[in-house]
Amino acid sequence: GAAVVPLIRTGGASGGMFDFPSGALEKPASVTEEQWSLLKSKDAPVEESASAVADILKACVGEIAKDNVVKEVQRLRSELGQDTCIVCILGGTKFQEDESEELVKVMAPKLEAAVGSKVKFVTGGMPGVQEAFAKHCGDGSRVWNLLPVGQASGYGRGTDINAGADLEERKAIFGLLGDVYVTVEGGPGVSQEARAAHARGAAVVPLIRTGGASGGMFDFPSGALEKPASVTEEQWSLLKSKDAPVEESASAVADILKACVGEIAKDNVVKEVQRLRSELGQDTCIVCILGGTKFQ
């Protein structure tokens, strides 16, 4: 299944001799007709053929990187528990407002208390918002800090886990990992991860009052700034208003998160029922036996 890029114009094995794999001589769907022609034609300028190989290689590397990201997400979901609801915390590496820091410190224990044991919180192991959250989320036993391979958070709280060769790859993994994303302040990196999450249908809960990416800057997903139908006007107002008491805004996030987790749990139940029906046979009549655990 490895990619083979033959410079067919050079002949020999690369031209199809000596039992060269015939499938490798067929144009892949990801390669344009023009690029493939430049690999085949002896009349094409050498410079153009070389550039075509470079472009094809770049695309191959990109696809391999995407596959690696997906595999890492699957591995992490397995490690954290397939039935676990993962709540990712997104935020700037440095607080822009003292009130934002106070809000995170008040919010963290409220979020932990609001949801059940099936929920795990994941940070990116960065300073600022994520560190403050990790250090104030109970005893840290439900906090996981996701960092590139070979790096550590230094939080002294939560469990460090590694995925991704560098920060960019770790960001890509982070954006695909969570079921819910809570955002505070932030810059372009926070918007990037929030866009990836929102694009695949994950819930994004922005603390709009904190500004930055969470307030709509840096191409933050506009859809995530609109009130979901399941959220009340009062709750959404508490996420937006800088004049609202910090305690009330933190409680609103906890209530919204609790509702999100409940909906995800319902969806998981439906999926499990569908899986079991499929395993037992869609046309099977299932008779369930109910009764006490001890005869009276």
Side-chain angles (χ1 to χ4, degrees):
V4 179
V5 184
L7 264 163
I8 302 170
R9 62 176 287 170
T10 63
S14 300
M17 296 175 67
F18 312 115
D19 200 25
F20 194 82
S22 58
L25 297 169
E26 297 173 5
K27 184 186 79 65
S30 58
V31 176
T32 67
E33 291 289 350
E34 182 183 6
Q35 288 171 332
W36 200 246
S37 174
L38 289 168
L39 264 59
K40 293 172 70 175
S41 175
K42 283 181 172 288
D43 299 325
V46 167
E47 184 75 26
E48 292 184 18
S49 290
S51 293
V53 175
D55 291 340
I56 292 169
L57 178 60
K58 184 178 180 180
C60 286
V61 170
E63 286 301 313
I64 291 167
K66 286 181 186 176
D67 288 345
N68 288 342
V69 165
V70 171
K71 287 176 183 174
E72 283 293 85
V73 170
Q74 291 171 337
R75 176 181 67 81
L76 290 169
R77 290 276 346 182
S78 178
E79 286 184 11
L80 294 172
Q82 294 290 2
D83 60 345
T84 296
C85 178
I86 297 176
V87 178
C88 292
I89 307 300
L90 276 172
T93 57
K94 184 179 180 182
F95 283 103
Q96 302 302 311
E97 301 285 345
D98 290 342
E99 192 177 67
S100 296
E101 184 172 6
E102 181 188 356
L103 183 51
V104 171
K105 290 178 178 178
V106 173
M107 176 181 70
K110 285 181 178 289
L111 297 195
E112 192 206 27
V115 295
S117 59
K118 289 287 187 182
V119 174
K120 290 178 180 174
F121 299 94
V122 178
T123 81
M126 305 292 279
V129 169
Q130 294 175 333
E131 182 174 12
F133 182 90
K135 289 183 173 179
H136 290 81
C137 185
D139 62 2
S141 61
R142 289 163 65 188
V143 175
W144 302 75
N145 309 307
L146 177 61
L147 300 109
V149 173
Q151 295 187 25
S153 68
Y155 289 174
R157 188 66 68 93
T159 302
D160 286 1
I161 50 176
N162 298 100
D166 52 30
L167 182 59
E168 284 307 306
E169 193 166 287
R170 196 279 292 158
K171 284 182 182 179
I173 293 165
F174 196 84
L176 295 175
L177 181 63
D179 298 296
V180 185
Y181 290 75
V182 177
T183 76
V184 180
E185 293 189 347
V190 168
S191 283
Q192 175 190 342
E193 291 167 291
R195 282 196 305 274
H198 188 261
R200 63 181 175 81
V204 178
V205 183
L207 267 159
I208 303 169
R209 62 178 287 170
T210 62
S214 299
M217 296 176 67
F218 310 113
D219 199 25
F220 194 84
S222 57
L225 298 169
E226 298 172 5
K227 184 187 80 65
S230 59
V231 176
T232 68
E233 290 289 349
E234 181 183 5
Q235 288 171 333
W236 199 246
S237 174
L238 290 168
L239 264 60
K240 292 172 70 176
S241 175
K242 281 183 170 288
D243 298 326
V246 164
E247 184 79 23
E248 292 184 18
S249 290
S251 293
V253 178
D255 290 340
I256 292 169
L257 178 61
K258 184 177 181 179
C260 286
V261 170
E263 286 302 313
I264 291 166
K266 285 180 186 176
D267 288 344
N268 288 341
V269 166
V270 171
K271 288 175 184 175
E272 281 296 279
V273 170
Q274 291 170 338
R275 178 182 66 80
L276 290 169
R277 292 275 347 183
S278 178
E279 287 184 9
L280 295 172
Q282 295 290 3
D283 59 347
T284 299
C285 175
I286 299 173
V287 179
C288 295
I289 310 302
L290 283 171
T293 58
K294 184 179 180 181
F295 284 104
Q296 302 305 309

